C-alpha cells in the first residue's frame, strides 16, 4: 500500500489536483468473468460532476476514484455491490447489473443538519443531552438585514430579543429563558467560531451635556459580521451544557459558526438585492390648523386655570378677559403649514451584493466572501454602509495536523440621524430630530425671511430640518483572525490549539455647524472619539474519543486564557469661527473652557480550565458531564476562582426495541443539571477613588476625587443553577418533530448592592445576597404537512413562557410595604387611575385641592388619603408568552415562506401622551394629535389629563412616580417576513454558465397587529428610529 | 516526517498547563487604569487638594452629577434647578414663582417628593462623612504645615457649611463627624439640636483660629476658596438661625472690622464684577459652568428689554421663574435696586409684553452684565452667595432684637443709602423688625436668603397660605427626611414632625 501525501495550497481554486487524493492502488488477481464498469458521478442537486469520489467494490479492497469529469472505471463481477462514497455526501451502494452505471450523489443533509456546536466540540443532535436549538441561517430570508441577531426573533423557543430602534445595525438585546439576575447582565455569551466575543459596542457615544441626541446609536457588535457568512447559530439554553463556559455563561451561550469550504467542485455564489424601505406611519402629530385650534382651546383653559375661574374655581371668567394667540385671519391664511416630520422621514433604499467562493479537496478547503451593504435610511441624513471580507481556510498539514484559519475584516461607515431618547429629553434645546419635529410649530415655515432656519415660538427648539446640517460620521473597523491547529496523536486522541485576536476600532466624528442654529451652540460644536475593543484568546484542549463495542466515550480537557482590553479617547471643541473646517480641525474651537478631553482603559484577564466527558451506552443511554474552573482579574481578592459543573443524561427511547418499527421515529428524554456563574458588578469589589465633581477657583477648573467604592474582598460568584427536563420527539419519519422542555433555574448569592447607611461616604457595597428563581416551558414543533414530488409544505412553531420570582431579598434593603417579598422579579408598582376629574364637584375627598382635568387616583384603602398604602402592582416587566410561527411551501420550482412572531402582555413605559401644557404655553410647542382627547372645559368628555397641574402627582411614592396610566401592555403579532422565490433549473448539460439561479421577492415587516397605541410595541425607547416596510427583489446565482 | 508522539505530547501538555498555572495569581491581579486606589491616592498635597475639590463640587453651579458613591444623580446645592437647595430656598417664598413643580408651589411635598434622585440636599450628608475622612487624613498627613493647616481650615469650613445646609432644611441629622465611625454600618439616631450645632460652631471657630487661612481671596486666582470671611459669615448665619443675637452681633462686627469687605457704590456692579470687595463668597462661573438662572427667567419669545438703563437682548429662555408683581411692589420709587429687574420686554414678533399684557411677573435678572445675544449659556457670571450687605443687615437685626434699633440704623442705612432710598430713623423695635425683613427682601432678592428670613421672622407659613398654598402648615418649616432614609432607619431615624 502506497500512501501519497502532499499538500497543495491554493494555487488554483478549481482543484484540478484532486487526483492527489489518497489513492489505494490495489494489486489484484484477475479471476473469471470480470466486467469493466464505467460511469459518471454527478451531484444530485447541481448535476455537476464530482471528482475524487471513492468508488470501490464492497467486501474487496478493489477501488478507484472518479476523475476530474466525474468519470470512473472499475472492474468487477456482475452481482457485486459497488460503493460510492465522498465526504459530505450520502454513501450509495448499487448492485452491478450492467456495464454503465451513472450515479447521482446527494448531499448528506443529515450530516449537516444534525451536528450542533456544544463548546469545544460538536455533537450529533441525536446524542445531545442539553437544551440546544440549532438555526440554519441560510433558511431565513435575510434581505435588508444587517446582523444575524435581528433574524432570530421567534425562531428559537426561549430566546427573546428586544429592540430599541430600527436603526441599521441597532443592538438587539437578547435574553435566554428568564433573566433572574436583577442586577442585569442578562445578555448571553456569544461565541463566534469557538471564541468568546466582547459584547460591548465600541461605538463612542457623544458628550451630551449640550445636545440631548448624543447617544442615539447602540450597534450590535454582530453588525460587523455578514449574516450570509454564517452557517448556523446554536443557542444553548441550559446550564448543564453551558457550564463548560463557566463564569461567562449565566445567561446562556449563542454559538455562531461561519461557513467553511465544502469538498468538491468550487462554487461561486453571487447574490444581489435591492430593497425599498417605506416608512411605517409614525405617531401622528397636529397639522397647522389643528395646532392653532388646539392651542387656542387649551390656552383658554390655561387662562381659566391660572386665574382659578370656573370650572377651576367658583367664579366665572369675565368676558373678554382672554385673547387667543391665533385669530380667525390666521386660520384662514395659514394653509397647510409645514409637515416637519414628513420632511424627515422618507423612502429608504438598500443595495446588497454578496459574492462568495467555496470549494476544496481533502487537503484544502476554503470559503471566502465579499459583502457590500448600503442603506440610505428612511430618516433623512442617515446612512449605513458596510464592507466585509471573510476568508476561512481549512488546511491539512500532513497526516496529523489540521490548520483552520478564520479571518474576518469589516468596515462600517455610517452617518447617524439623531433619534431615540436623549439623556435630557425634556429640555427643548436637547430634543432629537424626531422630537423637534413634534415640537416645532407647524405654522412656521422652515426658513425665515433671511433664508436661515427659522425658529419656533419657543426659540430654543432646533429647527427639525436643520438637523440635516449635522455631520455625524461613524467608522467601525473590525479585524478578527482565529487560527486553530488540530494535532492528531492517534486516531482517538487529538489536541486543539486556538489563538484569536479580535479587534474593533470605532471612530465617531460629529459636527454641528453654526447654520444649524442650535440654541446652546450658536457657533458650532465638534466631537471626535475613538474606542477600541480588543479580545485575545488562547486555548488548548485535548479531545479523546473511543468506541468500545456499542459504547462510546469522549473526553475533552483543556485550558484557556482570555484578555479583553477596552480603551478609548474623546474630545470636544465648541465655538468655531467658520463652518468650513467641520470636525477636521477641532483645534480652532475657541470656547476653551467648554472644550474637553477624556480617555479610559479597562482590562480583564480570565484564566480557565475546562473538561467534558461523554459516555454513551449502546447508543441509547447518554451521560454527559462538564466542568469549568474560572479565575478572573476583576474578581475579589479572596475569591479569584470558581468552579462550575454540569451533568446531564439522555435516554433515546426510540432506540429501544419496543419503539422500533413504530410511527415514533425519534424520542429522547433528557435531564440536566448545571451551575454557571455571573460576574456582573464584579468590578465594584475594589476600593476606588474616582474623579468626580469639579470646581472653579479663579480661572482654573479643578477636578475632584472621591471615594466611590469600598472593598468587599469576599465577594463571590453569583451562582445560577438550573434543572432542565426535555423531550425530543419525531413521528412519521420525523415529519412531525420537535421538543418540549421544562426548566427551573435558581440564582443564589445574587450579586447586588448592600445599602450603606445614608450618612456614610459611600452609599453601597457590592455583596452576595438574595436568591431568585424562574420556571418555564419552551416548545418547538416542526411539521412537514405535505410532501410530494412537486409540492411540499412545512411549518414550524415556537412557544415559550416563564415566570420568575424572588426567593429571598436583601434583608438590608427596606422594602416598601406594597412589595411582596416573594413577588415576581420585575413587578412594577404605582397608583391606579380612574379617568379624569370633570368638575370641582367630582374632586374626591382623598384628592382635596385637585382640579378638573386632573387624573383621578384610586384611594385603594378608602382611608381618604392618597399615600404609599394606595400603591398597587400595576404590571410585571417582560412578556408572559413569546411565540413564533413559520411556514414554507414549495411547488415545483416556486417557494413561498412566511414568518410571524409576537408576545403577550409585555408592558412598556408609555411615552406617547400629548403634552397639553406645551401646546397651551404662551410660546406653544406642537404635540401629538391625541391632544384632541385632552379634557378641557369645552371638551368635557376628554379622556386625557388637562392643563391643570395635578397637586398629587409629585407625591406619588411609587418608584418613578408610576401610575397605570403611564404603563401600557404591548401584546402584538408581527408578520415579519414573506418571501417568494423561483429556482430555475439547469441540467448538467446546460450551456449557461451557472448551475443555479434563483429570483426572489422578500417583504419584511409586513404587518403588525396590536392594541398598543404608541409607536411600535417592540421598541423599548420612545421616539425611536422609525420602522420600515421593506420590499426586496433579489437574485441568487451559483456558478 | 517523523512524529514522535511521546516527546511532543509531553511538550504540548506542559504548554497547556503552563497557561493554566504560570503566575496565575499575578495575572489575575485586578487591573485599574482610569481610577485611583488606596495605593496611589492620598499621598501628596495635590491629592488632598483633589479630595477637597470634591467637597467644593457640592457648591458648583453646574446642574448636578452622579455621586459615584451611590450612582445616583443629584442636583448640586447652588444652581438653577427648581429642586436645588438654593432654588427651594427661593421658590417656597414670595420672591419667586414657578408653576412647574406643584409640590413646591402648593406646599404639598411629602417624604417621597424629595427622595431618591430628588434628595439633592439630603444627599450631602455623605459629603459630611467625606469631609470627616479628609480632615482625619490631613491631620495625620506629613505635608508641610502651611498647606496642611489651610486645607484643614477649608475642610472644616466646608463640613460646617454642609452641616448647616442640612440643618436648615431638615434640622439636626445623623451626620458623621467622628472618623472612627466612618465605616460603621450601624444606623445612628439623629443628633440633638445642641450637639449638632455645637459641631458646626466648633468647626467654624477652629477654621477662623487657623492663621494660615487667609482673610479673603477677592481678586486673586484662588477666588472661590474658603476664606476666614466665609467661615465667619457661616457662623453669623448659624447664630442668626438660632437667634443667638449676642454672638451674631459679635461675629458680624468681626467681619465688618476685618476691613476686607465694603459696599460697592453701585448695586448692579456687585453682580457684574467677579471677586469685587462686597462679595464674601461667590461660586465661580465660566463658559463651562454657566449661571443658568437667567435662562430660567426669560420668556420663550423674549427679544429685548431694559433693566434700568441697560438694554438686555437675548433669545428666548425657559420662563420658569418670575417675581410676583406683589413682591416687586415692595420696592420704593427710585430704589436703584430695581435697575436689575426687567418689567417690560419686546418679543421677537415686536409685541410689547408687560404687566398689563401677559407678563406673569417681573424678570428679576439681577445679573445685568450678561454678554452676547444668543440663547446660549453665555452666562459666565459668578453666582453671588454671601456678601457684605447681608452682614450689615444681619448685624442691624441682631442689635434690634437685643436692644432696639438705635444702634442698628448705622448698619441698615449704609445699605439703604447705596440703594438711593431714604434712611430710617425713629422706628419701634417691632416696626424695625418688620421693616428689616422687607429691606432684606429688596436687597437680597433671589440670593437664597428669603426662606431663612421668613422662617426666622415666623412668617414663612403665613405667607404661603396667603399666596394660596392652603396645604401649608408648620410642618413645612422643615423638609421631611426622605422616604428611603426614613425606611433605612426604621425606628432609629425620626421623621420630622407632621410628616
Amino acid at each position: 500500500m502506497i500512501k501519497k501525501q502532499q499538500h497543495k495550497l491554493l494555487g488554483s481554486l478549481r482543484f484540478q489536483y484532486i487526483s492527489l487524493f489518497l489513492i489505494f492502488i490495489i494489486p489484484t488477481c484477475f479471476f473469471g468473468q470480470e466486467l469493466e464498469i464505467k460511469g459518471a458521478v454527478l451531484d444530485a442537486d447541481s448535476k455537476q460532476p464530482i471528482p475524487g469520489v471513492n468508488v470501490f467494490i464492497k467486501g474487496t479492497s478493489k477501488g478507484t476514484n472518479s476523475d476530474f469529469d466525474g468519470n470512473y472505471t472499475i472492474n468487477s463481477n456482475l452481482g457485486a455491490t459497488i460503493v460510492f462514497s465522498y465526504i459530505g455526501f450520502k454513501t450509495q451502494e448499487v448492485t452491478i447489473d450492467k456495464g454503465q452505471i451513472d450515479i447521482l450523489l446527494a448531499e448528506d443533509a443529515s450530516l449537516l443538519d444534525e451536528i450542533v456546536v456544544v463548546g469545544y466540540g460538536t455533537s450529533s443532535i441525536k446524542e445531545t443531552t442539553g437544551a440546544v436549538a440549532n438555526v440554519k441561517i441560510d433558511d431565513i430570508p435575510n434581505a435588508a438585514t444587517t446582523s444575524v441577531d435581528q433574524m432570530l426573533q421567534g425562531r428559537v423557543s426561549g430566546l427573546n430579543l428586544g429592540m430599541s430602534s430600527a436603526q441599521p445595525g441597532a443592538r438587539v438585546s437578547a435574553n435566554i429563558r428568564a433573566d433572574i439576575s436583577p442586577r442585569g447582565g442578562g445578555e448571553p455569551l456569544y461565541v463566534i467560531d469557538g471564541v468568546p466575543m466582547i459584547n460591548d459596542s465600541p461605538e463612542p457615544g457623544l458628550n451630551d451635556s449640550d445636545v440631548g441626541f448624543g447617544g442615539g446609536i447602540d450597534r450590535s457588535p454582530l453588525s460587523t459580521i455578514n449574516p450570509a457568512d454564517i452557517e448556523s447559530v446554536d443557542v444553548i439554553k441550559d446550564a448543564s451544557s453551558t457550564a463548560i463556559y463557566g463564569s461567562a455563561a449565566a445567561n446562556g451561550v449563542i454559538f455562531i459558526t461561519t461557513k467553511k469550504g465544502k469538498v468538491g467542485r468550487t462554487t461561486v455564489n453571487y447574490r444581489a438585492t435591492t430593497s425599498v424601505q417605506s416608512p411605517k406611519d409614525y405617531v401622528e402629530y397636529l397639522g397647522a390648523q389643528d395646532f392653532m385650534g388646539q392651542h387656542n382651546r387649551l390656552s383658554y383653559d390655561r387662562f381659566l386655570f391660572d386665574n382659578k375661574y370656573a370650572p377651576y374655581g367658583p367664579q366665572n371668567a369675565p368676558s373678554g378677559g382672554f385673547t387667543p394667540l391665533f385669530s380667525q385671519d390666521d386660520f384662514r391664511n395659514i394653509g397647510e403649514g409645514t409637515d416637519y416630520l414628513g420632511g424627515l422621514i422618507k423612502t429608504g433604499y438598500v443595495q446588497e451584493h454578496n459574492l462568495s467562493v467555496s470549494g476544496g479537496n481533502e487537503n484544502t478547503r476554503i470559503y471566502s466572501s465579499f459583502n457590500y451593504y448600503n442603506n440610505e435610511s428612511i430618516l433623512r441624513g442617515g446612512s449605513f454602509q458596510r464592507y466585509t471580507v471573510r476568508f476561512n481556510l481549512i488546511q491539512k498539514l500532513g497526516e496529523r495536523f489540521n490548520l483552520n484559519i478564520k479571518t474576518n475584516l469589516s468596515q462600517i461607515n455610517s452617518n447617524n440621524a439623531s433619534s431615540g431618547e436623549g439623556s435630557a429629553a425634556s429640555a427643548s434645546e436637547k430634543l432629537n430630530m424626531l422630537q423637534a419635529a413634534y415640537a416645532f410649530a407647524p405654522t412656521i415655515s422652515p426658513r425665515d425671511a433671511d433664508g436661515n432656519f427659522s425658529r419656533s415660538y419657543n426659540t430654543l427648539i432646533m429647527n427639525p430640518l436643520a438637523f440635516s446640517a449635522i455631520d455625524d460620521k461613524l467608522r467601525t473597523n473590525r479585524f478578527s483572525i482565529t487560527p486553530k491547529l488540530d494535532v492528531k496523536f492517534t486516531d482517538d486522541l487529538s489536541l486543539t490549539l486556538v489563538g484569536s485576536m479580535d479587534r474593533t476600532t470605532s471612530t465617531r466624528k460629529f459636527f454641528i455647524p453654526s447654520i444649524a442654529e442650535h440654541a446652546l451652540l450658536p457657533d458650532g460644536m465638534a466631537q471626535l472619539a475613538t474606542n477600541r475593543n480588543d479580545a485575545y484568546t488562547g486555548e488548548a484542549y485535548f479531545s479523546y474519543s473511543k468506541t468500545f463495542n456499542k459504547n462510546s466515550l469522549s473526553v475533552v480537557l483543556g485550558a484557556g486564557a482570555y484578555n479583553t482590553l477596552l480603551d478609548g479617547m474623546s474630545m470636544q471643541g465648541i465655538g468655531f469661527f467658520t463652518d468650513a473646517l467641520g470636525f477636521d480641525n477641532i483645534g480652532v474651537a475657541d470656547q476653551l473652557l467648554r472644550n474637553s478631553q477624556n480617555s479610559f482603559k479597562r482590562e480583564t484577564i480570565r484564566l480557565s480550565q475546562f473538561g467534558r466527558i461523554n459516555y454513551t451506552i449502546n447508543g441509547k443511554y447518554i451521560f454527559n458531564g462538564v466542568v469549568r474552573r474560572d479565575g478572573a482579574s476583576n474578581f475579589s481578592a479572596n475569591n479569584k476562582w470558581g468552579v462550575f459543573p454540569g451533568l446531564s443524561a439522555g435516554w433515546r427511547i426510540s432506540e429501544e426495541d419496543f419503539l422500533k418499527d413504530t410511527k415514533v421515529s425519534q424520542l429522547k428524554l433528557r435531564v440536566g443539571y448545571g451551575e454557571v456563574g455571573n460576574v456582573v458588578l464584579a468590578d465594584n469589589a475594589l476600593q476606588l477613588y474616582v474623579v468626580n465633581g469639579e470646581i472653579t477657583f479663579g480661572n482654573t477648573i479643578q477636578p475632584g476625587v472621591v471615594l466611590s467604592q469600598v472593598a468587599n474582598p469576599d465577594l463571590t460568584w453569583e451562582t445560577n443553577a438550573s434543572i432542565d427536563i426535555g423531550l425530543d420527539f419525531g413521528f412519521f419519519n420525523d415529519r412531525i418533530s420537535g421538543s418540549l422542555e421544562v426548566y427551573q433555574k435558581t440564582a443564589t448569592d445574587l450579586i447586588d448592592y448592600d445599602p450603606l447607611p445614608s450618612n456614610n461616604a459611600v452609599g453601597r457595597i457590592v455583596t452576595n445576597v438574595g436568591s431568585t428563581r424562574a420556571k418555564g416551558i419552551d416548545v418547538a414543533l416542526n411539521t412537514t404537512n405535505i410532501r410530494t414530488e412537486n409540492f411540499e409544505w412545512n411549518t414550524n412553531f415556537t412557544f415559550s413562557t416563564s415566570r420568575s420570582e424572588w426567593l429571598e431579598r436583601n434583608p438590608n434593603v427596606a422594602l416598601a410595604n406594597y412589595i411582596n417579598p416573594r413577588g415576581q422579579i420585575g413587578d412594577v408598582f404605582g397608583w391606579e387611575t380612574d379617568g379624569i376629574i370633570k368638575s370641582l364637584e367630582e374632586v374626591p375627598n382623598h384628592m382635596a385641592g385637585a382640579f378638573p382635568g386632573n387624573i383621578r387616583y384610586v384611594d385603594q384603602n378608602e382611608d381618604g388619603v392618597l399615600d404609599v398604602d394606595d400603591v398597587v402592582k400595576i404590571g410585571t416587566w417582560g412578556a408572559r408568552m413569546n411565540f413564533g410561527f413559520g411556514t414554507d411551501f414549495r411547488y415545483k420550482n416556486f417557494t413561498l415562506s412566511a414568518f410571524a412572531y409576537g408576545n403577550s402582555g409585555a408592558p412598556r413605559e408609555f411615552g406617547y401622551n400629548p403634552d397639553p401644557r406645551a401646546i397651551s404655553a404662551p410660546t406653544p410647542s406642537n404635540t401629538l394629535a391625541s391632544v384632541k382627547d385632552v379634557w378641557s372645559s369645552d371638551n368635557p368628555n376628554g379622556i386625557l389629563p388637562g392643563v391643570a397641574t395635578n397637586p398629587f402627582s409629585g407625591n406619588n411614592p411609587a418608584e418613578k412616580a408610576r401610575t397605570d396610566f403611564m404603563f401600557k401592555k404591548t401584546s402584538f403579532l408581527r408578520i415579519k417576513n414573506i418571501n417568494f422565490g423561483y429556482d430555475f433549473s439547469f441540467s448538467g448539460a446546460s450551456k449557461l454558465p451557472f448551475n443555479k439561479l434563483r429570483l426572489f421577492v422578500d417583504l419584511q415587516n409586513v404587518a403588525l397587529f396590536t392594541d398598543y397605541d404608541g409607536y411600535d410595541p417592540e421598541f423599548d425607547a420612545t421616539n425611536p428610529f422609525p420602522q420600515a416596510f421593506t420590499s426586496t427583489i433579489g437574485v441568487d446565482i451559483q456558478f | 516526517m517523523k512524529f514522535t508522539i511521546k516527546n511532543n505530547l509531553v511538550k504540548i501538555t506542559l504548554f497547556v498547563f503552563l497557561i493554566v498555572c504560570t503566575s496565575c495569581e499575578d495575572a489575575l491581579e485586578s487591573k485599574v487604569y482610569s481610577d485611583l486606589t488606596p495605593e496611589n491616592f492620598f499621598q501628596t498635597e495635590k491629592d488632598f487638594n483633589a479630595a477637597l475639590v470634591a467637597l467644593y463640587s457640592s457648591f458648583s453651579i453646574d446642574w448636578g452629577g452622579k455621586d459615584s458613591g451611590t450612582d445616583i444623580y443629584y442636583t448640586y446645592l447652588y444652581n438653577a434647578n427648581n429642586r436645588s437647595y438654593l432654588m427651594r430656598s427661593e421658590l417656597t417664598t414670595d420672591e419667586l414663582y414657578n408653576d412647574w413643580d406643584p409640590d413646591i408651589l402648593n406646599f404639598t411635598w411629602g417624604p417621597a417628593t424629595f427622595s431618591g434622585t430628588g434628595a439633592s440636599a439630603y444627599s450631602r450628608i455623605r459629603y459630611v462623612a467625606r469631609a470627616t475622612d479628609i480632615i482625619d487624613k490631613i491631620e495625620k498627613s506629613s505635608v508641610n504645615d502651611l498647606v496642611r493647616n489651610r486645607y484643614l481650615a477649608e475642610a472644616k469650613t466646608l463640613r460646617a457649611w454642609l452641616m448647616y445646609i442640612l440643618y436648615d432644611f431638615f434640622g439636626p441629622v445623623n451626620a458623621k463627624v467622628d472618623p472612627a465611625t466612618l465605616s460603621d454600618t450601624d444606623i445612628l439616631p439623629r443628633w440633638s439640636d445642641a450637639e449638632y450645632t455645637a459641631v458646626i460652631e466648633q468647626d467654624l471657630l477652629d477654621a477662623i483660629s487657623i492663621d494660615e487661612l487667609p482673610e479673603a481671596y477677592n481678586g486673586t486666582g484662588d477666588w472661590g476658596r474658603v476664606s476666614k470671611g466665609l467661615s465667619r459669615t457661616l457662623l453669623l448665619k448659624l447664630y442668626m438661625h438660632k437667634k443667638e443675637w449676642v454672638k451674631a452681633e459679635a461675629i458680624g462686627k468681626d467681619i465688618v472690622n476685618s476691613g476686607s469687605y465694603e459696599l460697592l457704590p453701585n448695586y448692579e456692579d456687585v453682580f457684574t464684577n467677579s471677586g469685587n470687595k462686597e462679595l464674601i463668597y461667590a461660586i465661580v462661573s465660566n463658559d463651562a459652568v454657566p449661571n443658568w438662572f437667567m435662562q430660567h427667567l426669560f420668556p420663550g419669545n423674549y427679544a429685548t428689554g431694559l433693566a434700568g438703563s441697560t438694554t438686555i437682548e437675548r433669545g428666548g429662555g425657559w420662563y420658569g421663574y418670575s417675581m410676583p408683581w406683589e413682591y416687586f411692589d415692595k420696592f420704593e420709587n427710585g430704589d436703584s435696586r430695581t435697575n436689575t429687574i426687567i418689567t417690560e420686554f419686546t418679543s421677537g414678533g415686536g409685541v410689547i409684553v408687560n404687566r398689563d399684557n401677559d407678563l406673569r411677573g417681573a424678570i428679576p435678572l439681577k445679573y445685568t452684565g450678561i454678554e452676547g445675544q444668543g440663547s446660549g449659556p453665555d452666562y459666565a457670571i459668578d453666582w453671588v452667595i454671601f456678601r457684605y450687605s447681608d452682614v450689615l443687615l444681619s448685624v442691624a437685626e441682631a442689635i434690634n432684637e437685643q436692644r432696639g434699633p438705635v444702634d442698628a440704623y448705622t448698619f441698615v442705612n449704609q445699605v439703604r443709602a447705596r440703594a438711593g432710598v431714604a434712611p430710617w430713623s425713629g422706628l419701634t423695635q417691632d416696626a424695625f423688625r418688620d421693616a428689616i425683613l422687607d429691606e432684606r427682601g429688596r436687597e437680597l432678592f433671589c440670593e437664597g436668603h428669603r426662606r431663612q428670613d421668613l422662617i426666622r421672622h415666623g412668617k414663612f407659613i403665613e405667607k404661603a397660605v396667603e399666596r394660596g398654598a392652603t396645604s401649608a402648615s408648620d410642618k413645612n418649616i422643615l423638609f421631611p427626611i426622605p422616604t428611603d432614609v426614613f425606611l433605612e432607619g426604621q425606628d432609629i431615624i425620626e421623621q420630622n414632625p407632621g410628616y
Side-chain angles (χ1 to χ4, degrees), chain A residues 13 15 18 43 45 86-89 107 112 138 231 259-267 269 357-362 364-368 392 394 996 1038:
Chain A
L13 298 179
F15 302 100
I18 226 75
D43 184 331
D45 194 24
Y86 193 67
I87 284 185
F89 288 82
E107 278 194 48
L112 296 174
D138 280 346
E231 176 90 45
K259 288 177 178 168
K260 53 182 175 280
K262 285 179 187 163
V263 175
R265 196 183 161 278
T266 304
T267 57
N269 270 285
V357 178
S358 166
N361 56 29
E362 278 273 288
T364 307
R365 289 196 264 162
I366 65 155
Y367 170 84
S368 180
N392 288 354
I394 301 174
K996 254 192 199 172
Q1038 190 184 81

Side-chain angles (χ1 to χ4, degrees), chain A residues 495 603 609 702 760 763 955, chain B residues 12 20 33 36 49 69 108 176:
Chain A
L495 170 69
E603 185 182 13
Q609 298 121 47
Q702 300 200 11
N760 277 23
N955 261 330
Chain B
I12 291 164
V20 181
Y33 297 103
L36 295 158
N49 185 55
T108 48
K176 285 196 169 173

Side-chain angles (χ1 to χ4, degrees), chain A residues 291 295 302 439 458 914-927 947:
Chain A
F291 168 73
H295 168 79
R302 192 163 166 153
N458 177 344
D915 187 347
R917 289 192 69 83
I919 194 172
S920 65
T923 53
S925 295
N926 199 3
T927 190
V947 296

Side-chain angles (χ1 to χ4, degrees), chain A residues 51-74:
Chain A
V53 174
N54 225 340
V55 182
F56 63 96
I57 306 301
K58 197 171 182 178
T60 74
S61 51
K62 204 187 286 182
T64 185
N65 289 81
S66 61
D67 66 12
F68 181 67
D69 294 320
N71 297 320
Y72 71 96
T73 310
I74 195 165

Side-chain angles (χ1 to χ4, degrees), chain A residues 459-460 489 495 559 601 603 609 633 640-641 689 692 698 702 705 757-761 763-764 917 954-955, chain B residues 5 12 20 25 28 30 33-34 36 49-50 66 69 71 99 103 108 113 125-126 130 174 176 223 316 318 488:
Chain A
T459 55
L460 296 170
F489 297 116
L495 170 69
K601 177 179 170 184
E603 185 182 13
Q609 298 121 47
S633 66
K640 284 287 183 196
W641 293 90
Y689 292 93
N692 185 254
Q702 300 200 11
V705 172
S758 54
N759 54 355
N760 277 23
R764 54 188 193 169
R917 289 192 69 83
N955 261 330
Chain B
I5 290 174
I12 291 164
V20 181
E25 301 307 324
L28 295 181
S30 299
Y33 297 103
S34 306
L36 295 158
N49 185 55
K66 218 170 220 188
D71 208 38
D99 66 354
D103 290 324
T108 48
T113 316
I125 195 169
R126 298 198 187 280
R130 286 177 176 137
N174 59 356
K176 285 196 169 173
W223 176 237
W318 299 321
E488 151 200 314

Side-chain angles (χ1 to χ4, degrees), chain A residues 203-265:
Chain A
E203 296 191 353
L206 295 180
N207 173 351
D208 58 4
S209 58
D210 291 298
V211 289
F213 41 91
I217 43 170
D218 176 19
R219 247 176 225 122
S220 165
L222 293 171
S223 65
T224 50
I225 294 174
N226 173 11
D229 285 344
I230 295 171
E231 176 90 45
S232 65
V233 172
D234 295 284
V235 180
I236 316 246
K237 301 186 276 190
D238 70 322
S240 72
S241 312
T242 60
I244 201 158
Y245 281 95
S247 64
N251 302 300
V253 181
I254 296 181
F255 289 103
I256 292 171
T257 308
T258 60
K259 288 177 178 168
K260 53 182 175 280
K262 285 179 187 163
V263 175
R265 196 183 161 278

